[in-house]
Amino acid sequence: MSTNNLSSRLYPSRIDLPADARTKIVELLNQTLAATLDLKTQVKQAHWNVKGADFYQLHEMFDEMADELEEYIDMVAERVTALGGYACGTARMAAASSILPEYPTEILEGMEHVTALAERFAPYAKHIREAIDTTDELGDADTADLYTEVSRTIDKRLWFLEAHLQPAEIKSENGSTAAKSQQKVGVR
Ligand SMILES: [Fe+2]
């Protein structure tokens, strides 16, 4: 059976949510499970391989982030099974259905790892936010609440990552604006 069929498999349950809604929610949760497993292993990859002057603080921060994601992996998988679904949680299943791109292998320094993670936390945050509305519309306030909790943490972590990058990004943005206005007035 392919992961596709497994991700929407439903067992009989006495839970008071209609089976058609549960099928859709379980499929969405399995998509989240794959992305969360993928993201957690990518954060660990950064935790192990980061190098440079800010090694220690990033090594520690990446580990905290991985621990949070580990907790959410369990929460998401157990919500799948609470709804009567089948949790698709092996590494191969996650790799086959994750929405995230593979982690780059040629990067070395702190800010390169921070950038790579910010580029993965952002689409993950978008997926989680969209899932709040989808599960709410399907009448499952509990899953929407779970997604809301994850969403708050992920937005906070994206902030932590971007706070490392913003000074350089803002300076280069201001630099290019200054260069453009200098060009306009003919300053050389
Ligand atoms: Fe470690």
Side-chain angles (χ1 to χ4, degrees):
M1 196 182 257
S2 75
T3 309
N4 248 1
N5 294 332
L6 279 176
S7 67
S8 57
R9 178 195 277 180
L10 214 59
Y11 296 110
S13 168
R14 290 166 183 78
I15 198 166
D16 64 323
L17 282 166
D20 58 337
R22 283 192 288 127
T23 304
K24 288 179 190 150
I25 298 161
V26 156
E27 204 165 6
L28 179 62
L29 282 164
N30 267 319
Q31 204 182 82
T32 308
L33 180 59
T36 316
L37 281 158
D38 189 16
L39 187 59
K40 188 236 156 171
T41 60
Q42 295 200 23
V43 173
K44 275 290 196 185
Q45 188 76 357
H47 165 74
W48 295 316
N49 290 299
V50 66
K51 299 192 189 303
D54 39 12
F55 162 79
Y56 194 70
Q57 67 109 354
L58 291 177
H59 175 75
E60 291 286 294
M61 184 179 80
F62 295 158
D63 215 24
E64 275 173 28
M65 292 161 75
D67 283 349
E68 282 165 0
L69 291 166
E70 182 65 38
E71 211 178 290
Y72 294 146
I73 287 164
D74 206 45
M75 260 171 55
V76 169
E78 289 181 2
R79 187 65 193 157
V80 169
T81 47
L83 291 170
Y86 181 82
C88 298
T90 71
R92 285 175 188 79
M93 287 168 174
S97 22
S98 174
I99 55 165
L100 303 176
E102 176 59 298
Y103 200 68
T105 53
E106 301 309 318
I107 57 174
L108 199 67
E109 287 195 70
M111 289 315 113
E112 293 177 313
H113 282 284
V114 170
T115 304
L117 289 180
E119 282 166 359
R120 282 151 185 79
F121 268 72
Y124 180 76
K126 181 174 187 279
H127 162 76
I128 299 291
R129 202 179 325 283
E130 285 169 357
I132 298 172
D133 288 340
T134 308
T135 50
D136 193 43
E137 281 156 20
L138 287 165
D140 184 358
D142 297 285
T143 304
D145 180 59
L146 181 156
Y147 274 119
T148 307
E149 182 186 335
V150 178
S151 179
R152 240 189 338 261
T153 303
I154 297 304
D155 283 355
K156 184 175 137 185
R157 286 310 188 178
L158 182 58
W159 160 43
F160 277 30
L161 291 166
E162 287 194 319
H164 291 81
L165 306 170
Q166 280 161 338
E169 287 173 353
I170 293 164
K171 271 181 208 157
S172 87
E173 178 77 3
N174 287 348
S176 59
T177 314
K180 271 185 210 149
S181 57
Q182 281 182 349
Q183 273 169 11
K184 265 189 205 157
V185 292
V187 178
R188 282 162 209 270

